[in-house]
Amino acid sequence: MRPSSSCWVRSARGLPGVVEGYGPTRAAEILREVQRRSIAHWLALDDHPSVVDAAREDRHFIACSGRTGVASTDVQQALRQALEALQKGGASLHPQGRTGR
């Protein structure tokens, strides 16, 4: 799995920069990038409200709080479980999403 982001890029000087969104929601942007890049095994960890909603339906999405992010033990557990499922073939990722909020 390789990191991919619809929000952060490197500028010409090598410094991180924010890119304008190009989809109706962050979750839609993520799905578009997954399809565009033909990524078969992926996870999206984000605090955006559209990702929180998407996490309820699709286990590829893991919602987190903007205040705690990956420091939350619930998020760590959700991420651990999702990575284990991906390692086993990803079959259990599709039904029922998860949230670490």
Side-chain angles (χ1 to χ4, degrees), residues 25-84:
T25 66
R26 174 105 33 97
E29 290 174 4
I30 292 167
L31 288 173
R32 186 178 299 164
E33 280 300 305
V34 166
Q35 292 169 350
R36 185 179 76 79
R37 296 172 189 236
S38 299
I39 301 172
H41 304 288
W42 62 276
L43 295 170
L45 175 68
D46 204 303
D47 66 341
H48 192 271
S50 67
V51 172
V52 173
D53 291 341
R56 293 184 185 111
E57 302 294 325
D58 185 338
R59 289 188 176 207
H60 288 97
F61 292 98
I62 300 172
C64 67
S65 164
R67 287 178 280 117
T68 58
V70 198
S72 162
T73 56
D74 289 340
V75 171
Q76 291 173 16
Q77 180 179 1
L79 185 56
R80 186 178 304 109
Q81 290 172 347
L83 288 170
E84 287 172 359

Side-chain angles (χ1 to χ4, degrees), residues 5 10 45 58 79 85 88 94:
S5 172
R10 296 249 174 232
L45 175 68
D58 185 338
L79 185 56
K88 293 176 185 175
H94 293 286

